[in-house]
């Protein structure tokens, strides 16, 4: 340790600490600016994709509504046809009756309950169902 004092060592360490602190501050500032610019760039670039996703979600919702409507119409057709067969006195087997109840329950769970419910009650009272 020829001629180096503790004061000089402390001075060099303070100088390095200052440089490291300054570089860290510069990196933080540059990073924030870069992230802000990058975020804006991504938002602009992603806008068409986001719009397309919104459009697809809307179409999926429309398709789901059409499917639900179609499914309810299929259930109504089955139930009306089955009950008409019973009214005409046609014989049905146990599996057909079981399937009727499955479809009727599904129909009722999805909000259907109008004239079909009344017709079903009538057939039950007559002992046909």
């Amino acid at each position: 340790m020829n001629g180096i004092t503790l004061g000089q060592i402390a001075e060099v360490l303070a100088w390095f600490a200052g440089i490291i602190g300054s570089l860290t501050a510069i990196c933080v500032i540059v990073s924030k600016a870069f992230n802000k610019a990058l975020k804006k760039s991504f938002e602009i670039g992603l806008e068409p994709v986001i719009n397309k996703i919104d459009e697809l979600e809307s179409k999926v919702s429309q398709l789901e509504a059409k499917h639900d409507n179609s499914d309810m119409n299929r259930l109504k057709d089955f139930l009306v046809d089955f009950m008409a067969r019973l009214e005409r006195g046609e014989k049905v087997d146990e599996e057909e009756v079981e399937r009727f109840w499955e479809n009727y329950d599904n129909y009722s769970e999805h909000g259907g309950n109008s004239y079909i419910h009344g017709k079903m009650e009538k057939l039950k009272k007559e002992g046909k169902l």
Side-chain angles (χ1 to χ4, degrees), residues 13-76:
L13 289 176
W15 187 76
F16 278 123
I19 289 174
I20 291 171
S22 296
L23 289 175
T24 302
I26 290 170
C27 286
V28 168
I29 291 169
V30 169
S31 176
K32 284 183 180 180
F34 182 73
N35 285 339
K36 187 176 180 181
L38 192 59
K39 182 179 178 184
K40 189 171 186 171
S41 176
F42 274 132
E43 287 174 353
I44 291 170
L46 290 176
E47 189 173 328
V49 174
I50 292 169
N51 291 340
K52 191 66 172 177
I53 289 171
D54 290 343
E55 181 183 320
L56 289 172
E57 285 177 343
S58 175
K59 286 182 181 181
V60 166
S61 293
Q62 290 173 359
L63 287 172
E64 285 175 337
K66 284 181 180 180
H67 176 267
D68 291 346
N69 187 38
S70 177
D71 196 38
M72 283 299 284
N73 283 327
R74 182 194 59 78
L75 287 169
K76 282 188 228 179

Side-chain angles (χ1 to χ4, degrees), residues 5 8 29 35 40 43 58 62 65-66 77 82-83 87 96 105 110 115 122-123:
T5 66
Q8 290 172 328
I29 291 169
N35 285 339
K40 189 171 186 171
E43 287 174 353
S58 175
Q62 290 173 359
K66 284 181 180 180
D77 290 343
F82 184 84
M83 289 187 288
E87 284 182 325
E96 288 177 298
D105 290 343
H110 289 88
Y115 61 93
K122 179 184 165 212
L123 289 170

